Amino acid sequence: MDLLLPLLLVALLIPMFLGVRRQKREQAKVVEMQDTLKVGDRVVTTSGLFGTVVEADDTSVDLEIAEDVVTTWLRASIREIRNEDAAATTEESTDTASEAESDNALEAESDNANGAKSDNGLGAKSDAATENADDAPRLSKD
């Protein structure tokens, strides 16, 4: 029983200590990234604004957020530097999503051509719409 309290304290302090060390390492990486900003870097601010660095000094950076629109930000407000690989991945996922939407539209058209019921403008819904509505969660006033 005498060893229980010290063991509990050690068991609680070790994860706290390791968490603080990890947080310090992450903060050091962010500070290093902010210190290495250079003109031409594409960045994202902590508020989610995308821009390109057009001028940088010790404490602030000027970001071009649109053609001929330049805003001044503190270096500490830069969350990440966007590289071209991330932009290419985003474009690929956007292309894939648009292809999926066109496939869904084609399936809906083929269903309508194959005799599926459609909205006749008088409030009648298709069979697929009523099936989806039955699967939807219900809210109650309990």
Side-chain angles (χ1 to χ4, degrees):
M1 196 67 178
D2 291 334
L3 292 175
L4 185 60
L5 182 62
L7 286 175
L8 284 173
L9 288 175
V10 168
L12 293 174
L13 291 177
I14 288 175
M16 285 178 45
F17 176 72
L18 295 175
V20 169
R21 288 186 59 211
R22 182 172 34 102
Q23 188 176 12
K24 283 183 180 180
R25 279 195 305 264
E26 290 297 321
Q27 183 63 31
K29 287 180 186 177
V30 170
V31 169
E32 179 185 349
M33 178 271 305
Q34 290 169 346
D35 289 342
T36 59
L37 287 174
K38 60 187 179 300
V39 174
D41 283 344
R42 297 186 57 172
V43 297
V44 180
T45 65
T46 54
S47 61
L49 184 75
F50 291 77
T52 304
V53 177
V54 292
E55 187 177 333
D57 61 19
D58 291 340
T59 59
S60 64
V61 293
D62 290 343
L63 300 181
E64 184 176 37
I65 56 175
E67 190 173 330
D68 297 328
V69 179
V70 177
T71 58
T72 302
W73 295 75
L74 290 174
R75 277 185 183 264
S77 65
I78 304 300
R79 179 177 30 192
E80 67 183 65
I81 297 175
R82 289 182 47 97
N83 55 16
E84 294 305 317
D85 295 336
T89 304
T90 304
E91 289 174 9
E92 289 174 7
S93 64
T94 304
D95 292 342
T96 305
S98 63
E99 288 175 6
E101 288 176 5
S102 15
D103 289 344
N104 289 340
L106 289 175
E107 288 176 10
E109 287 178 14
S110 67
D111 287 346
N112 287 339
N114 292 334
K117 293 181 183 177
S118 63
D119 186 8
N120 62 7
L122 300 174
K125 295 183 180 177
S126 70
D127 289 338
T130 55
E131 288 174 11
N132 290 338
D134 292 338
D135 294 340
R138 303 277 186 224
L139 297 177
S140 63
K141 295 183 180 180
D142 294 334

